[in-house]
Amino acid sequence: MEPPTGVRCNGVKTSVEGRPLDERQLVVKARSGDLESFEELVRIHQGTALRLAYLLVRDHAEAEDVTQEAFTRAYRAMRRFREDASFRPWILTIVRNEASNRRRSRGRRLGLAMRIAADPASEVSDPSPERVVLKMEEARIALDAVEELPEKYRLVVVCRFLLGLSEDETALTLKIARGTVKSRTSRALQQLRRTMENPHG
């Protein structure tokens, strides 16, 4: 299985010949070496993968590199991927591992970026400039508080609330038990609440 040469964060193919396939069918075809099916999987999951990479490395260009490398690794490993498994937690685990490797190699501290956490698509109508400034300030304070969390809690918060993963997907992505996701989420929110209520100490 040769790695895809055209898998990038932008400009991937967006269709598969014939009528649209569901994700499980795409996985089956990709496991057999069908590049177009894999590129469709990339299209479906690249946004979330890039979002996670950016939250972990805090640099847009490097996040794109992390994401592209993660999808390349995933393509090479597709034959070993179980057809009955969920693709999203699997690819996000690869993204997280690749980002962690890069953080260790450059010695940077894990951080979060407001511009990737804020989702402009969620705005129903154009907000006033005052509301935009207020929202940005609230987001900055919240993300500063998240950044202060221990990494095991921070990763759970990123997965659950910034990426919108379910508890099951978070457990699969972080390779921890679902009960651990629950307990870490609870503790993280308690700590965030204390920090937000007393931001200066």
Side-chain angles (χ1 to χ4, degrees):
M1 218 172 171
E2 293 298 322
T5 58
V7 176
R8 291 187 172 85
C9 295
N10 297 296
V12 298
K13 295 180 181 179
T14 58
S15 64
V16 176
E17 290 184 8
R19 66 184 181 83
L21 301 174
D22 65 30
E23 185 165 307
R24 184 151 298 182
Q25 291 174 305
L26 290 172
V27 167
V28 171
K29 291 174 71 67
R31 287 181 76 248
S32 67
D34 185 82
L35 181 57
E36 287 191 351
S37 293
F38 185 79
E39 287 178 333
E40 183 70 3
L41 289 170
V42 172
R43 185 194 67 77
I44 292 169
H45 296 286
Q46 66 180 357
T48 302
L50 180 61
R51 190 175 171 89
L52 175 60
Y54 191 85
L55 287 165
L56 295 175
V57 302
R58 296 188 66 186
D59 179 86
H60 186 72
E62 187 165 7
E64 288 189 337
D65 289 344
V66 166
T67 304
Q68 182 166 339
E69 179 62 24
F71 278 112
T72 299
R73 290 177 181 270
Y75 184 81
R76 289 171 175 159
M78 276 305 297
R79 285 179 177 160
R80 301 194 300 274
F81 181 71
R82 296 196 335 267
E83 292 182 9
D84 60 340
S86 177
F87 187 83
R88 183 162 76 161
W90 184 64
I91 189 60
L92 292 181
T93 298
I94 298 174
V95 170
R96 181 174 67 90
N97 290 341
E98 179 65 21
S100 296
N101 290 339
R102 293 188 180 227
R103 287 203 317 274
R104 282 195 294 268
S105 67
R106 70 184 182 178
R108 288 184 183 175
R109 184 169 64 91
L110 172 68
L112 298 170
M114 181 181 64
R115 59 179 175 172
I116 199 68
D119 183 4
S122 64
E123 293 292 342
V124 176
S125 59
D126 292 335
S128 67
E130 294 81 5
R131 288 186 62 192
V132 170
V133 171
L134 180 60
K135 183 175 180 179
M136 290 176 64
E137 178 64 13
E138 290 173 348
R140 184 191 65 77
I141 293 171
L143 288 172
D144 284 348
V146 171
E147 190 170 350
E148 294 176 6
L149 291 171
E151 183 167 336
K152 65 180 181 179
Y153 297 143
R154 183 166 53 233
L155 286 173
V156 169
V157 170
V158 165
C159 288
R160 292 286 287 121
F161 301 110
L162 299 184
L163 298 181
L165 302 188
S166 68
E167 288 183 348
D168 288 338
E169 288 176 322
T170 299
L172 288 170
T173 299
L174 301 181
K175 296 190 181 305
I176 57 179
R178 183 176 179 180
T180 304
V181 173
K182 285 179 175 290
S183 62
R184 288 184 183 178
T185 300
S186 176
R187 290 168 186 161
L189 291 178
Q190 289 175 5
Q191 187 167 331
L192 284 174
R193 195 173 296 113
R194 289 195 297 268
T195 302
M196 296 288 289
E197 290 173 353
N198 188 22
H200 301 295

